[in-house]
């Protein structure tokens, strides 16, 4: 689920590069213009060009999920998308969740359930849970497991991540 | 006055004797029944919000103005001499700022007889050169432009082959670490076996496992004049400071090491890494900050592993199950370098009463990636062999496996003859058995076969001096805990805040904890060996205690109330002499910027008892006889780690340890190509770590027996204990399901199907 890649638009193929090229990324509702090399991944564009280091890089090859962000509402591995592919798209990262200094219910549930140890996988886990709950507000345990099955956690916080996701679903329910 | 004394400490299976300076008066541990407000409570991590919002800046996230990036060129050969390196083409690539190799860097010795940039490479992945460039992509491009001429040398990958007299040698004095095996003996082995009614001997093999912490190893180095600041993803900021100062010839006060958040280490970040030294050299050379972080492949090649072991284990017992003799010969594949060999014989030496015993360990250099500590090094491997053989012995004797273990239970540390300070293993067995429903015999089944198994755990986790802390009470009534430890993902910060809040009588929200920076000057030991809380926690409690005394002194005078009548709860001072409770900041507000500073140090370990942790785990598995797939259905764990400070974060560590143990039991394994020495699964695609879909039901309880001799908290460590018995319990359950035993980890489908054919 978390692995769906962003495909380049089929209709017209734009040739980019060599050298840096200007793109527009809409990140957490704010528009940014950035000059990137065509080979720059979305993850590096977020981390290095925009200074948004919430999405983590643990493999840079689509095998861990630490870099999970939402592009047009869908979870993707940001290390597996080129920044130029995301030109003009709407990107949601972990930094966009908390509003006015208040944790998002998913973040709150992660903290309360202790669904994080070192916390390095956590932004990715939370974004995968966010994608799940956006689509399915009343998930089962199995739904949760599937939703985060592309997010590795070497500390083994999984049992708590499951609990946190289910608790977040309840919190969101109460809130709405 | 400080006193200099000698103390014994067990660290990862080895007893160290060292001099320590003891200061301050010891506090006695809280009583088991003491009504505590914060200690023992499920308090969510105080730094949870930073981690959950992406605000926590890990070393990997550090970005400094003008920062350059380094990428390391690694050897493609398992053993070779570098005849020449030509870096010219790489250097002329636009954006490349420097290329470091043995030609242009000082010859700095590192680990045994080798150098930071050595002219000999000893495994596929060994460091050859480093490119420093404006960005990572450029550095990567430049790596391909470096021309290296190698003289290929003969290599050896297998530790048994490496012990042969004609094997290719990694070092002039041979492939055996120390030139001889490490031997431990007690009693008379021959007599012991002669007395036995039953003798069983088996060979067990365990695989090489890779840490794969999510945050890769890495450092950022910045020079300001002749002062060096390094951000490092490390389990020991003071160790890194000492190492850097020594290797670079700097005084300690010119080196500052910072580690605020870390994305896992599991032992692989215990020591100074080459990349850190290289970053410091490169930053000096270029005059710019330099960041070197390893990629996932480098992580799996060059940052350590749990080494493979071959264990020949022989056990002798009487008909009634009493052990008479135990002999272990273990061979460990160290890889190319070795700082701290794991103690594979630890469980055999300590777990059971056995008068006649010998363990012999050969730690052997091979042309593969070097070992490092990995969560309970040696004990995970040793427990698998020992507890497997105990099950076979039980079968042979017609005894219940648990009954056999109880038969050989010991209240005395078998290696020193001293009693244990406390030992809750019997209770762990009993409660675990009850929770699990042991000995429930699974029904015979068709394609899916069920099995159950159990295993025991022993590990130090006692903590050690020196460790220091300060607790400051600020004029606004808040308090700051300062110590030089680090939180490696275990929840250290939270636990220290709980201890300080408890001792001060302050609400926990009023406590902040500053750790992870050597500049604050308060030494704390490495975060390893399950000893952070037991080392640093007591110092924090003592510092808080001292701060509280000072506060009471001041308050008595300011409030004109008898000192003995004053109490502090919830940050309020009360006394029958006062009309109503007074907040701490009210007391301090008229004293300008007066600050209370309490100082604490870790007390020495007791000399007449052994402080240990214990536990038992029970596993239930189903094995699919058609596909060979093992599914772990349930793990029941009961551990004794003394007083529990935070049941919430502790439960996370227990679950995490079990899950790592499950991966080790079933699928984790580094695979090295025999012909080339190349690691073929140096990534997370092919090296399998447990995912959300592999998680069994985990039920656990703590014995919760505060250990008043351990330290002033009564707490011991819990980081490593839960991983120790998991693989052994699972292997015993699989043997139960199959009716035959597999002597080699991991228990892959291939091995299961092969075992079923017999
Ligand atoms: S960093 Fe993108 S999947 Fe691992
Ligand atoms: S919390 Fe450490 S990797 Fe998930």
């Amino acid at each position: 689920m978390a692995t769906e890649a962003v495909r380049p638009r089929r209709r017209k193929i734009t040739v980019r590069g060599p050298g840096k090229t200007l793109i527009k990324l809409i990140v957490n509702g704010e528009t940014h213009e950035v000059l990137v090399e065509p080979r720059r991944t979305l993850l590096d564009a977020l981390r290095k060009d925009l200074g948004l280091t919430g999405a983590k890089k643990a493999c840079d090859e689509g095998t861990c999920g630490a870099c999970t962000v939402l592009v047009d509402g869908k979870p993707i591995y940001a290390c597996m998308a080129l920044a130029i592919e995301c030109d003009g798209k709407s990107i949601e990262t972990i930094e966009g969740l908390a509003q006015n200094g208040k944790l998002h219910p998913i973040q709150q549930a992660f903290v309360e359930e202790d669904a994080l140890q070192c916390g390095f996988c956590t932004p990715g886990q939370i974004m995968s849970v966010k994608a799940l709950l956006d689509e399915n507000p009343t998930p089962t345990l199995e739904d949760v497991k599937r939703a985060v099955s592309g997010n590795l956690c070497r500390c083994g916080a999984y049992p708590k991540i499951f609990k946190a996701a289910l608790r977040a679903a309840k919190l969101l329910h109460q809130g709405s | 006055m400080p006193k200099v004394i000698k103390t014994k400490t067990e660290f990862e299976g080895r007893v160290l004797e060292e001099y320590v300076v003891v200061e301050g008066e010891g506090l006695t541990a809280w009583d088991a029944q003491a009504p505590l407000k914060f200690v023992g409570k499920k308090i969510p991590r105080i730094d949870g919000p930073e981690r959950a919002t992406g605000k926590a800046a890990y070393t990997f996230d550090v970005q400094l103005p003008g920062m350059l990036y380094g990428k390391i060129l690694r050897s493609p050969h398992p053993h070779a001499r570098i005849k020449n390196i030509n870096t010219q083409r790489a250097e002329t690539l636009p954006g490349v700022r420097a290329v470091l190799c043995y030609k242009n860097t000082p010859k700095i010795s590192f680990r045994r007889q080798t150098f930071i940039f050595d002219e000999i490479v000893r495994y596929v992945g060994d460091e050859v050169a480093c490119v420093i460039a404006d960005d990572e992509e450029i550095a990567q491009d430049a790596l391909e432009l470096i021309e290296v001429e190698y003289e290929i040398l003969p290599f050896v990958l297998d530790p048994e082959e490496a012990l042969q007299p004609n094997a290719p040698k990694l070092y002039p004095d041979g492939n055996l670490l120390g030139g001889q095996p490490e031997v431990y003996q007690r009693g008379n082995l021959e007599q012991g076996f002669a007395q036995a009614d039953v003798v069983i001997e088996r060979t067990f093999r365990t695989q090489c496992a890779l840490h794969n912490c999510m945050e890769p190893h890495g450092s950022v180095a910045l020079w300001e004049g002749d002062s060096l600041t390094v951000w490092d993803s490390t389990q020991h900021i003071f160790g890194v400071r000492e190492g850097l100062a020594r290797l670079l010839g700097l005084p300690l006060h010119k080196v500052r090491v910072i580690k605020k958040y870390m994305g896992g280490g599991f032992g692989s970040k215990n020591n100074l890494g080459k990349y850190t030294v290289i970053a410091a050299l490169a930053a000096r050379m270029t005059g710019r900050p330099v960041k070197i972080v390893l990629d996932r492949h480098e992580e799996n090649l060059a940052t350590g592993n749990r080494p493979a072991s071959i264990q020949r284990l022989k056990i002798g017992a009487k008909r009634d199950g009493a052990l008479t003799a135990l002999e272990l010969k273990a061979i460990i594949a160290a890889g190319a370098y070795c700082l701290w060999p794991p103690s594979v014989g630890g469980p055999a030496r300590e777990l059971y009463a056995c008068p006649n015993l010998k363990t012999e360990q050969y730690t052997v250099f091979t042309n593969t990636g070097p070992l490092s500590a990995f969560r309970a090094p040696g004990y995970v491997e040793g427990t698998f062999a020992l507890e497997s053989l105990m099950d076979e012995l039980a079968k042979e004797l017609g005894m219940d496996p648990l009954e056999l273990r109880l038969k050989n239970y010991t209240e005395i540390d078998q290696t020193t003859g001293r009693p244990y300070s406390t030992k809750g293993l019997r209770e762990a067995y009993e409660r675990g058995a009850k929770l699990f429903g042991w000995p429930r015999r699974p029904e015979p089944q068709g394609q899916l076969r069920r099995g159950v198994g159990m295993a025991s755990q022993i590990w130090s986790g006692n903590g050690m001096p020196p460790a220091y802390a300060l607790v400051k009470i600020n004029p606004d009534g808040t308090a700051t805990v300062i110590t030089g430890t680090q939180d490696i993902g275990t929840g250290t910060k939270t636990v220290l805040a709980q201890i300080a809040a408890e001792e001060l009588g302050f609400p926990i929200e009023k406590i902040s904890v500053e750790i992870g920076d050597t500049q604050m000057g308060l030494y704390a030991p490495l975060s390893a060996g399950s000893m952070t809380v037991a080392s640093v926690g007591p110092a924090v409690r003592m510092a808080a205690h001292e701060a509280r005394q000072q506060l009471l002194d001041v308050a008595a005078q300011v409030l004109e109330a008898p000192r003995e009548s004053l109490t502090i709860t919830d940050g309020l001072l009360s006394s029958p002499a006062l009309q109503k409770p007074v907040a701490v900041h009210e007391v301090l507000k008229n004293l300008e910027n007066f600050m209370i500073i309490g100082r604490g140090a870790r007390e020495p370990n007791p000399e007449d008892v052994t402080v240990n942790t214990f536990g038992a785990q029970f596993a239930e598995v189903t094995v699919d006889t058609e596909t060979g797939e093992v599914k772990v259905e349930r793990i029941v764990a009961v551990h004794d780690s003394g007083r529990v400070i935070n049941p919430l974060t502790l439960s996370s560590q227990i679950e995490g340890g079990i899950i790592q143990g499950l991966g080790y039991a079933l699928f984790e394994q580094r695979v090295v190509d025999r012909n080339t020495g190349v690691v073929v699964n140096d990534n997370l695609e092919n090296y399998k770590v447990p995912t959300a879909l592999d998680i069994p039901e985990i039920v656990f309880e703590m014995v919760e027996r505060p250990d008043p001799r351990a330290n002033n908290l009564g707490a011991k460590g819990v980081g490593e204990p839960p991983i120790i018995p998991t693989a052994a319990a699972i292997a015993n359950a699989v043997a139960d399901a199959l009716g035959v035993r597999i002597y080699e980890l991991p228990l892959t489908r291939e091995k299961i199907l092969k075992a079923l054919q017999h």
Side-chain angles (χ1 to χ4, degrees):
Chain A
M1 237 190 132
T3 55
E4 201 174 312
V6 179
R7 290 175 202 291
R9 271 164 283 172
R10 249 180 237 132
R11 274 162 294 134
K12 71 172 198 275
I13 294 169
T14 337
V15 178
R16 303 271 203 172
K20 293 194 175 181
T21 165
L22 190 71
I23 58 164
K24 200 161 69 175
L25 298 176
I26 307 157
V27 184
N28 303 324
E30 271 183 46
T31 304
H32 301 267
E33 294 205 328
V34 267
L35 259 181
V36 294
E37 274 198 46
R39 61 174 162 177
R40 191 75 140 185
T41 61
L42 173 61
L43 180 60
D44 278 342
L46 290 170
R47 290 179 54 87
K48 289 183 173 168
D49 298 310
L50 300 180
L52 295 171
T53 55
K56 301 299 181 210
K57 188 195 278 187
C59 74
D60 209 20
E61 53 191 17
T63 59
C64 76
C67 61
T68 305
V69 299
L70 309 190
V71 174
D72 290 340
K74 289 241 166 6
I76 67 152
Y77 289 164
C79 70
M80 295 302 281
L82 293 174
I84 53 171
E85 291 177 287
C86 302
D87 190 7
K89 298 211 170 151
S90 183
I91 298 148
E92 202 176 343
T93 73
I94 189 76
E95 287 90 349
L97 257 59
Q99 293 295 330
N100 309 321
K102 199 171 167 310
L103 293 183
H104 184 280
I106 301 175
Q107 293 169 319
Q108 187 192 334
F110 265 66
V111 173
E112 286 169 358
E113 291 288 356
D114 205 41
L116 49 95
Q117 291 179 44
C118 75
F120 206 73
C121 73
T122 308
Q125 305 279 3
I126 290 178
M127 294 315 287
S128 286
V129 171
K130 170 91 170 40
L132 169 74
L133 298 184
D134 282 351
E135 214 178 87
N136 175 5
T138 52
T140 62
L141 176 61
E142 288 312 307
D143 294 335
V144 171
K145 286 188 178 180
R146 252 172 48 87
V148 297
S149 63
N151 292 84
L152 298 182
C153 174
R154 190 52 162 160
C155 298
Y158 299 116
K160 302 267 166 71
I161 292 169
F162 305 156
K163 277 197 198 167
L166 295 173
R167 180 178 187 142
K170 269 203 207 108
L171 286 173
L172 282 163
H173 220 66
Q174 287 160 6
S176 63
Chain B
M1 198 189 73
K3 261 191 303 198
V4 180
I5 62 149
K6 227 181 196 178
T7 187
K8 280 206 188 73
T9 308
E10 190 184 341
F11 177 68
E12 304 195 332
R14 283 166 210 283
V15 176
L16 318 170
E17 200 167 35
E18 46 189 40
Y19 286 100
V20 291
V21 182
V22 195
E23 305 158 84
E25 248 179 89
L27 293 168
T28 41
W30 291 296
D31 192 74
Q33 265 72 48
L36 301 178
K37 248 185 126 150
F38 299 105
V39 166
K41 298 289 165 352
K42 287 190 176 186
I43 294 182
R45 281 166 213 254
I46 58 173
D47 54 355
E50 288 102 287
R51 293 178 200 254
T53 51
K55 292 267 154 50
Y58 295 72
T59 303
F60 201 95
D61 301 325
V62 172
Q63 303 195 49
L64 303 176
M67 187 172 83
L68 302 174
Y69 295 84
K71 283 269 165 227
I72 294 170
L73 181 69
R74 295 180 178 276
S75 168
H77 305 294
H79 203 189
R81 181 187 309 279
I82 301 171
K83 279 162 67 183
N84 194 27
I85 300 186
N86 185 346
T87 56
Q88 220 170 5
R89 282 177 63 211
E91 275 160 25
T92 48
L93 189 76
V96 171
R97 303 295 161 189
V99 181
L100 288 78
C101 67
Y102 71 90
K103 286 183 170 177
N104 62 348
T105 53
K107 207 166 173 160
I108 298 174
S109 73
F110 194 77
R111 293 187 296 219
R112 242 178 154 241
Q113 319 130 2
T114 64
F115 300 95
I116 292 284
F117 288 113
D118 209 286
E119 285 170 56
I120 305 217
V121 287
R122 295 175 183 82
Y123 71 97
V124 174
D126 217 347
E127 290 82 354
V128 172
C130 181
V131 172
I132 308 296
D134 290 351
D135 212 337
E136 284 168 295
E137 290 96 332
I138 301 170
Q140 196 69 49
D141 289 347
L143 286 185
E144 283 158 36
L145 302 175
I146 300 176
E147 292 147 27
V148 189
E149 227 181 297
Y150 293 102
E151 176 195 336
I152 308 292
L153 301 173
F155 63 91
V156 59
L157 305 175
D158 180 274
E160 283 175 301
E161 279 169 30
L163 280 175
Q164 299 302 316
N166 53 354
K169 283 192 175 44
L170 275 86
Y171 297 99
D173 52 352
N175 294 335
L176 180 59
L177 177 72
Q180 53 189 28
E182 279 183 88
V183 179
Y184 167 89
Q185 357 195 8
R186 64 174 179 253
N188 183 326
L189 202 62
E190 268 162 47
Q191 250 174 39
F193 281 118
Q195 286 162 6
D197 297 320
V198 182
V199 174
I200 310 180
E201 188 173 359
R202 296 282 183 266
T203 300
F204 296 88
R205 286 167 191 271
T206 64
Q207 75 277 36
C208 173
L210 301 168
H211 299 74
N212 271 309
C213 0
M214 293 304 278
E215 183 191 20
H217 292 60
S219 309
V220 180
L222 166 74
W223 289 88
E224 288 158 303
D226 59 354
S227 293
L228 172 65
T229 300
V230 168
W231 287 260
D232 193 21
S233 185
T234 177
Q235 294 174 236
H236 196 198
I237 52 173
F238 277 92
V240 171
R241 180 178 80 151
E242 186 278 327
L244 280 172
R246 184 165 35 83
L247 298 186
L248 301 176
L250 295 166
L252 285 174
H253 70 282
K254 292 285 183 192
V255 184
R256 175 182 189 185
V257 179
I258 303 173
K259 200 297 296 284
K260 289 292 176 194
Y261 297 92
M262 187 167 90
F266 313 116
S268 68
K269 295 174 180 171
N270 281 357
N271 303 103
L272 175 66
K274 269 193 184 179
Y275 50 88
T276 314
V277 185
I278 296 172
L281 291 174
R284 190 158 63 184
M285 207 182 252
T286 57
R288 310 244 307 252
V290 168
K291 178 177 191 173
I292 301 180
V293 290
L294 306 193
D295 68 22
R296 184 52 51 189
H297 300 265
E298 296 176 285
E299 278 297 294
N300 281 329
L301 296 177
T303 64
N305 54 61
R306 183 189 302 282
S309 76
I310 304 162
Q311 301 176 56
R312 185 95 192 137
L313 191 60
K314 188 175 169 189
I315 202 163
K318 291 288 205 192
R319 271 274 142 239
D320 66 357
L323 300 186
T324 58
L326 197 50
E327 184 181 12
L328 169 72
K329 186 178 163 191
I331 299 176
I332 307 302
Y337 307 99
C338 179
L339 284 173
W340 181 266
S343 186
V344 173
R349 291 192 290 268
E350 299 164 6
L351 196 47
Y352 298 113
C354 181
N356 309 299
L357 181 140
K358 181 176 179 190
T359 61
E360 202 179 343
Q361 177 170 326
Y362 295 76
T363 305
V364 185
F365 291 111
T366 50
N367 291 109
T368 52
L371 66 77
S372 65
F374 190 161
R375 206 169 187 172
Y379 278 57
V380 172
E381 302 90 305
T383 300
F384 161 68
L386 177 65
E387 290 292 76
S388 295
L389 198 59
M390 284 296 276
D391 261 33
E392 286 211 10
L393 179 62
K395 203 169 171 185
E396 184 71 32
L397 294 168
M399 277 176 95
D400 177 82
L402 179 52
E403 197 188 317
L404 176 65
R405 284 160 174 94
L406 285 167
K407 173 80 195 166
N408 292 289
Y409 197 84
T410 173
E411 297 285 356
I412 303 291
D413 174 357
Q414 296 287 298
T415 60
T416 60
R418 300 183 303 195
Y420 289 113
S421 50
T422 55
K423 178 167 178 172
L425 183 56
R426 189 181 298 276
E427 195 178 329
Y429 283 141
E430 281 163 8
R431 282 167 61 180
K434 197 152 168 231
L435 280 170
F436 187 81
W438 184 274
R440 187 188 54 78
R441 303 315 307 160
E443 316 281 303
Q445 304 197 17
Q447 184 184 333
L448 289 183
R449 289 201 205 154
R450 270 175 192 273
V452 293
M454 55 88 52
S456 330
Q457 170 257 313
I458 191 164
W459 181 250
S460 51
N462 55 348
M464 60 174 161
Y468 304 95
L470 294 182
V471 169
K472 298 189 298 183
I473 300 179
N474 304 307
D476 64 353
T478 59
T480 311
V481 177
I482 302 177
T483 170
T485 189
Q486 45 272 309
D487 190 333
I488 62 173
T490 53
T492 303
K493 250 182 156 175
T494 310
V495 161
L496 298 183
Q498 288 173 264
I499 294 167
E502 190 72 56
E503 190 63 36
L504 288 170
F506 282 22
I508 196 155
E509 305 76 44
K510 299 248 176 195
I511 312 281
S512 70
V513 180
E514 299 294 339
I515 56 174
D517 187 345
T518 59
Q519 207 70 344
M520 293 185 296
L522 294 166
Y523 180 85
L526 75 168
S527 295
S530 304
M531 57 177 205
T532 303
V533 168
S535 300
V536 183
V540 169
R541 182 171 174 221
M542 196 179 281
H545 179 79
E546 211 183 283
R548 180 192 164 93
Q549 298 312 313
Q550 292 174 30
L551 176 61
L552 290 173
D553 288 341
V554 172
Q557 296 167 59
V558 171
L559 301 173
E560 293 175 1
R563 190 185 184 283
E564 323 67 67
S565 74
L566 285 169
T567 55
I568 315 173
T569 354
D570 282 335
L572 299 173
L573 287 137
S574 325
S575 155
L578 297 174
Q579 278 173 352
K580 58 177 175 38
V582 183
V584 170
H585 68 94
E586 291 291 335
V587 174
L588 298 178
K589 82 174 176 207
N590 295 327
L591 302 177
E592 296 283 341
N593 279 312
F594 169 70
M595 186 171 259
I596 288 172
I597 303 173
R599 184 172 173 280
R602 169 61 152 85
E603 70 266 48
N605 283 327
E607 295 291 321
D608 54 341
V609 289
T610 298
V611 176
N612 248 327
T613 66
F614 304 92
Q617 289 184 9
F618 298 76
E620 178 177 346
V621 302
T622 36
V623 182
D624 187 324
T625 52
E626 296 281 305
T627 64
E629 190 184 356
V630 177
K631 186 159 186 276
V632 179
E633 303 284 349
R634 195 158 61 105
I635 300 277
V636 169
V638 182
H639 289 267
D640 169 21
S641 283
R643 180 190 296 284
V644 176
I645 312 273
N646 187 333
L648 184 63
T649 51
L650 174 131
S651 67
S652 296
Q653 276 192 296
I654 300 257
E655 288 163 356
I658 290 170
I659 290 166
Q660 269 179 358
L662 180 150
Y664 179 72
L666 298 184
F667 32 74
E668 292 189 30
Q669 178 173 28
R670 182 187 74 180
V671 179
V672 179
D673 178 48
R674 287 196 64 82
N675 300 317
T676 58
V678 168
V679 176
V680 297
N681 59 345
D682 62 346
N683 55 59
L684 287 167
E685 176 84 45
N686 296 316
Y687 183 91
K688 301 291 180 195
V689 304
T691 74
L693 300 175
D694 300 310
I695 307 309
E697 180 192 350
I698 298 174
V699 179
F700 90 93
E701 284 183 4
M702 296 305 287
V703 170
E704 265 268 42
R705 189 180 291 182
D707 183 341
R709 300 298 312 279
N711 51 61
N712 69 32
L713 306 171
K716 309 182 220 185
V718 79
E720 282 148 308
I723 197 180
I724 291 174
T726 310
I730 291 173
N732 283 339
V734 169
D736 182 47
L738 299 182
V740 288
R741 182 169 294 276
I742 298 167
Y743 295 95
E744 192 176 336
L745 291 179
L747 302 169
T748 56
R749 294 177 188 212
E750 190 193 352
K751 285 183 204 146
I752 302 270
L753 291 176
K754 220 159 115 201
L756 280 167
Q757 281 167 8
H758 295 299

